Amino acid sequence: MRRKINAVLAAAPLLCLSTVGVSTASAGAPAQPCADAELSPDAANAASVDAATLCLVNQVRAAHRLHALHANRELRMLATSQVNAMVRWDYFADNRPPGVTPMALIASMRYPAHTKSVSIGQNIGWGTGGYATPISMVAGWMASPPHRKIILTSSYREAGAGVTAAVPSFLEAEAPGATYAIEFAARSY
């Protein structure tokens, strides 16, 4: 039987990654709930799902005493472009065919302008049914050591999440689902 929850997750620690985390269950005071954390993505609510995903990542970071990531429009556009490309071109990977890396994509944007260096990371994932919600996606990433490491990288300062209410067809999903990407970055000037 085909598994419906995040059957494939991929992570791309592209430059510098370092940090270790502890269980989110050991966090201090409970955080305010993120609006739309259990929303099933559709064509009309992508912005709400994107915001909920970043909110949940920031809750995890706060529970590990890390600073919140600032929402960045360019990173959100890159994440949205990534999920749309995966569905349109029917693949699931960090690099776009024919091997275009997230670093190459961000280098073509205004994001790194006037900086000495840029560090980036990317988490991608997909889920169907109830596993396509932001809360399920972030939980799946936290259960995966490479994804967890990226989320808990203390040097990242900004992020942008993107979602599309579809999965690449080669995955042969048994129910409607969604594909997610979140881009993390830090710039030094």
Side-chain angles (χ1 to χ4, degrees):
M1 178 178 255
R2 193 164 179 79
R3 292 184 356 170
K4 295 180 185 178
I5 179 170
N6 304 329
V8 181
L9 292 171
L14 299 173
L15 287 180
C16 58
L17 291 177
S18 64
T19 191
V20 293
V22 294
S23 168
T24 56
S26 65
Q32 291 286 77
C34 294
D36 303 320
E38 297 188 35
L39 194 60
S40 292
D42 63 34
N45 66 14
S48 297
V49 172
D50 295 349
T53 303
L54 183 55
C55 176
L56 290 163
V57 165
N58 277 332
Q59 280 188 350
V60 168
R61 289 175 62 88
H64 289 83
R65 294 181 173 80
L66 297 172
H67 61 272
L69 299 169
H70 299 285
N72 179 278
R73 186 177 71 87
E74 288 178 290
L75 295 175
R76 182 183 51 78
M77 289 172 36
L78 179 59
T80 301
S81 171
Q82 176 69 359
V83 295
N84 289 334
M86 285 190 285
V87 170
R88 183 175 47 250
W89 297 338
D90 198 26
Y91 74 97
F92 185 81
D94 291 307
N95 295 345
R96 291 186 188 178
V100 179
T101 67
M103 182 55 84
L105 292 170
I106 206 161
S108 70
M109 303 173 76
R110 290 180 35 101
Y111 186 82
H114 310 293
T115 63
K116 289 182 189 176
S117 65
V118 175
S119 300
I120 67 170
Q122 176 184 79
N123 282 352
I124 62 174
W126 67 275
T128 59
Y131 298 113
T133 64
I135 198 163
S136 291
M137 188 57 54
V138 173
W141 286 332
M142 288 304 292
S144 164
H147 294 89
R148 178 185 177 93
K149 184 174 182 178
I150 291 171
I151 289 170
L152 298 179
T153 295
S154 62
S155 62
Y156 292 138
R157 297 288 182 243
E158 299 172 303
V163 65
T164 189
V167 298
S169 63
F170 85 91
L171 295 172
E172 299 178 2
E174 296 174 1
T179 305
Y180 285 75
I182 185 166
E183 309 293 335
F184 300 86
R187 297 180 270 196
S188 51
Y189 296 92

